[in-house]
Amino acid sequence: MRRFTAYVLLTFLFLSGCSAPADPDTAQESIQVIAMDTAMLITTYGEHSVTAAYAAEDRIRELESALSRTDPDSEVSRLNAAGGEAVEISGDLQTILSQSAQYSQETGGAFDITVAPAATAWGFTADRFQIPSQTELDRLLPLVDSSQVSIIPSLDSSGDGPKATARLGPGQSVDLGAIAKGYAADQLCKVFDANEIPRALADLGGNVLAWGDRPDGAPWRVGIQDPAHPDDKNALVGVLEIVDSFAVTSGSYQRYFEQDGKRYHHIIDPATGYPADSGLTSVTVVAGTGSGSGAMCDAYSTALFIMGEEKALDFWRSQLNGSLFSLVLVTEDGRVVVADKINRFAFAPNEDSGYAYETAS
Ligand code: AMP
Ligand code: MG
């Protein structure tokens, strides 16, 4: 419907002679896409801004219908329902499963898509929140083990032969909620590239892609939410200034329920089956756009949240000596820790926030 409106409007402008073809310097399109349980906002600039914005929407919808855990017809649902049998998978799912295996291994199992049975036990899949018993978690925890997931790649590069297949361990299921939006952001880079988009901003809900710079030549400004005030979108711990980068935030404030005065959030520590209790309230990972770094930022922000401050900073230092990505950590005890060895971004603290600001090296 929205697409129809846009085309009608453009046709009217041409027919009426009121407007010249899109001025490549000023043309822009902004669309909202409700997908992956999120209100996404995509703004593209340049001559092909309209085509690119709707191609981005199409790509997101295609990914959603393949990767959703709640749509019974999705590829992921078919894989989860296969009871340990091999299932044919698309190139997208094959890539995400391979990336997920790599990130699980790199993060010592903090990131693990097979956490799904435990996440479901807390009710985070169907929004029917509950505290599972320890007996139930003890029964489910052996299923949280990504080493039991196998992927058999297709040997046929033409695409006409047998497809790749994947197989889970018996009783296992996967949840791609911690990587799917980052992977989608990587795919938007391809769409923008193919449409020669000079600049764009895509906010996929906690996953921001800043493509190029702003029309005025300044960096894009991305606020980091104050986890202590999740309902006040103006409450920020600070603002990042970025160009050609992903900025991805994981936080305990993004999805949670409260029972008997205690908060239970959606990021599950695979070691315990419980919401991670690491002393962090949010983790933002920033990296330059490039092959697969959107998925990487998404997976790492989830994993580093589980690791906690000390292990997260050790991990940061261990990856290309701190230059693979940069970090902003918000701690439960009221500190904001910025780790950015190569001046990937400028960070403007919100001095009124009450947080103490530190730099890690
Ligand atoms: P994010 O907002 O990217 O940190 O992803 C959180 C979502 O990922 C949750 O809502 C779950 O669907 C899923 N998830 C929770 N814990 C983990 C984990 N340890 N590893 C991978 N995915 C997880
Ligand atoms: Mg994530």
Side-chain angles (χ1 to χ4, degrees), residues 148-176:
Q148 294 179 39
V149 178
S150 49
I151 308 160
I152 300 136
S154 162
L155 295 174
D156 173 47
S157 56
S158 73
D160 298 331
K163 286 175 86 177
T165 58
R167 181 200 300 273
L168 306 180
Q172 284 194 308
S173 51
V174 295
D175 179 331
L176 304 180

Side-chain angles (χ1 to χ4, degrees), residues 120-151:
T120 301
W122 287 92
F124 283 114
T125 314
D127 280 349
R128 277 194 294 272
F129 305 124
Q130 60 189 358
I131 302 172
S133 67
Q134 191 57 51
T135 316
E136 189 179 5
L137 287 178
D138 288 345
R139 184 179 63 80
L140 296 174
L141 275 180
L143 302 173
V144 182
D145 172 11
S146 49
S147 70
Q148 294 179 39
V149 178
S150 49
I151 308 160

